[in-house]
Every structure is written in structure tokens, then in C-alpha cells.
Amino acid sequence: MHYARAALLFVAAASCVEPFRGSKIELYLRPGVQVPGDTDPGFGKPPSYTHYELYVVKDNAIFQLAKFDIRPAMSTRERCFIEDETTRFPGLHSTKIADKLLEAAMADGTVTDKEAGEIASARARVGAMSALETSLKVLTYHEDGLTNAAAAALAADVPDPSQTGDAANADRLAKCQAIFAKHPGYYVGTDKVLTIPINGTYLGIVEGRDPRNNSFLGGASLDVPEALPEFNFMRINWQFNDPGDPRRPNPASPTGYHYMSGAPFVRTRGVINVSMRHQDFAAIAGDAAIYTNLDDDSVHF
């Protein structure tokens, strides 16, 4: 009995999951935080083809914690904005769902009440896409080397959304899935469930309201491997996606360019809080709550 008990204890100990020794950062970005781009420049907006990087500063040292993109919640211009393989029309560009349902319903010359309801729902869905695209911004995983030019090249031979036949849909699905398999950072959002993209990693959402039901949204979560020590400042910088971008200053900054920053303070036991602001534009702001040394945390997790 003693030997059996000892063996069981040994197996249990050997199979234990290694505890996560890093930190969880809850990041809440205000509505003024921008998607990088060259339209409507100024007011602190980063230029196109850039991403964001999160740092902490301790004395004269700076430590990178994460890289992320801020982008529209979804894009109807994305060629891989498609219906997945579990749907009625796998590979169909999602903007064409109402047209395809109408085409299928009219194939026999009549439209049933059920089909009419499905078409009406699809039209409402497509009608809300533009508002979702323009009003909500998400934080996503950033993949190094996946520049805008590289992403455009990957999707260059994906069939145009106007092609809605079965063969084109199958081709579109296969080509998009091949892109997804090679590039986890190739983000394609969906209007169906904002938190579950077609591809890529959803980290959270910038403060906003869902135009479909006016519900309040906001907040992101990042896990970082570092158990953060005391630091003087937290900083979000923006950086060019392409290290060879001709717009980079000379000499270029390896840590990017200031977007917002703030000093830490403790509001609740074991939680480090930071309120970050842009140095010139008050609308660019955010707050962070940091839960550090999680393997020793007996209070929050």
C-alpha cells in the first residue's frame, strides 16, 4: 500500500503543469487610440504600415513586453473575409451572403417563408458590416515580417469577391486556409463573433459601442512571460512594420516612437496600475492593470 501510494504521488508530481511565472496585463484603451494610417494625419496618429509595442522602463533600461496591431474589427475589403467550412456556402465572400441566399432560393422559382426570413437576416447582417468596420477597433497579435505589401501579395490570387460560384468559393477557401496555416498573424476578423476571428489572435477591443445593439465594449488581455519587477514607466510606442521602410528617421529608433506613457501606482494589493497618456493629445489614453508573479499569486488567480 505504501509503495502504491508513493508511486501515485510520484506520477502526480511528474504530471503537474508548470506554473505560469509571468504577468497578465489588462489593457484598456480609450476611443481616441487610432488605427495607423495616412488619412486624416496628425493628432498623434501613427503613419500607415506601423504597429504598436509595449515597454516598461526601469532607470536607463527599457524592456519590451509585447507587440500588437490595432485594426478595424473586420474589413470587407479583405479577400479572405469568408464563410467557413461549417456554413452552407464555404468560401463565399461574406459580403455576398444575402445575394447567394436569394440566388439559391430562386433556383426553383419560388421563395418560401423560411428562405425569405434567411434572406432578410442576411441583408441585415450585410447592412451592419460597414458600421462595424468603421466604428470598432481591435487589438491583435502582430506577426513580424508580415508587412502590408506581403499580406497583399499572399492574397493576390484569391478569387475576387464577385465570384460566387461553387468552384470559386472552394478555390477561395483552399487558398485562404493555406495562407492562414503559414501566417498566424494574418488577421481576418468576422462580423459573426468579434472575439473569434477567421484567422489570427484577438487580444481585445478598444473602447467603443457595437453599432448593432449599442452595447458597450472595451478591454484587452495580454500574457507576458516576464514577472515584472519594479519599473518607472510603462510606455506604448509605435514602430514601422518594415525595418527598411524609407520613412524611418536616420538614425532609426530600435524601440519605436512615443505614443503614450505613464507611471505605475498600486491601488489594490498585488495589482500594479498605470494610467497612460499622450504627451500632447489627451484623447490618446489608456489604463493598464498588471498582475505580476502569477505563480505566487494567491489573491487574484
Side-chain angles (χ1 to χ4, degrees):
M1 179 68 69
H2 293 297
Y3 290 112
R5 184 167 179 267
L8 287 172
L9 289 173
F10 174 79
V11 170
S15 63
C16 286
V17 176
E18 183 69 18
F20 179 63
R21 303 185 187 281
S23 304
K24 179 176 288 293
I25 301 175
E26 302 292 341
L27 192 60
Y28 193 92
L29 299 181
R30 302 296 174 180
V33 171
Q34 301 133 319
V35 175
D38 298 325
T39 57
D40 303 320
F43 303 101
K45 185 176 186 176
S48 58
Y49 313 141
T50 60
H51 63 274
Y52 292 93
E53 299 182 349
L54 181 66
Y55 291 92
V56 290
V57 180
K58 173 64 174 175
D59 299 327
N60 294 321
I62 184 167
F63 305 93
Q64 185 185 95
L65 301 179
K67 298 180 182 181
F68 59 92
D69 292 304
I70 294 179
R71 62 180 75 239
M74 43 150 285
S75 174
T76 56
R77 296 181 297 277
E78 169 57 60
R79 287 204 172 195
C80 289
F81 178 56
I82 59 175
E83 301 295 287
D84 66 32
E85 60 270 30
T86 66
T87 61
R88 182 177 177 184
F89 306 110
L92 176 74
H93 199 268
S94 292
T95 58
K96 301 299 182 181
I97 183 63
D99 296 340
K100 190 66 176 177
L101 283 168
L102 178 60
E103 175 190 314
M106 292 295 292
D108 61 359
T110 61
V111 178
T112 66
D113 289 344
K114 180 177 183 294
E115 290 170 332
E118 291 173 343
I119 293 166
S121 296
R123 285 175 173 167
R125 176 188 166 194
V126 173
M129 287 178 181
S130 178
L132 280 170
E133 186 172 356
T134 57
S135 61
L136 293 178
K137 296 166 282 189
V138 294
L139 288 76
T140 73
Y141 165 76
H142 174 76
E143 180 179 333
D144 284 333
L146 189 61
T147 64
N148 294 63
L154 289 171
D157 65 343
V158 173
D160 187 83
S162 62
Q163 300 179 40
T164 62
D166 292 344
N169 291 342
D171 187 31
R172 186 182 297 109
L173 179 65
K175 287 177 177 175
C176 289
Q177 288 180 332
I179 294 170
F180 298 159
K182 292 181 179 179
H183 296 279
Y186 189 103
Y187 190 85
V188 183
T190 174
D191 60 303
K192 292 180 179 179
V193 182
L194 297 179
T195 58
I196 306 177
I198 298 171
N199 191 62
T201 302
Y202 171 94
L203 299 174
I205 194 163
V206 176
E207 180 184 328
R209 289 189 179 275
D210 191 321
R212 298 168 296 187
N213 54 24
N214 205 37
S215 61
F216 184 80
L217 302 171
S221 180
L222 298 87
D223 291 331
V224 300
E226 294 81 7
L228 297 183
E230 293 184 1
F231 58 91
N232 304 117
F233 293 96
M234 175 169 277
R235 177 182 295 172
I236 294 178
N237 290 351
W238 60 264
Q239 180 63 283
F240 291 98
N241 293 343
D242 183 356
D245 194 307
R247 298 171 298 171
R248 295 185 73 179
N250 188 15
S253 170
T255 58
Y257 307 91
H258 177 269
Y259 192 63
M260 67 173 84
S261 61
F265 61 94
V266 176
R267 180 182 290 126
T268 304
R269 184 179 62 156
V271 182
I272 302 171
N273 298 100
V274 185
S275 290
M276 293 177 283
R277 300 291 183 272
H278 191 282
Q279 58 192 5
D280 297 316
F281 302 104
I284 299 174
D287 298 284
I290 306 164
Y291 304 87
T292 190
N293 290 307
L294 291 184
D295 59 326
D296 295 325
D297 191 329
S298 61
V299 177
H300 303 98
F301 296 94

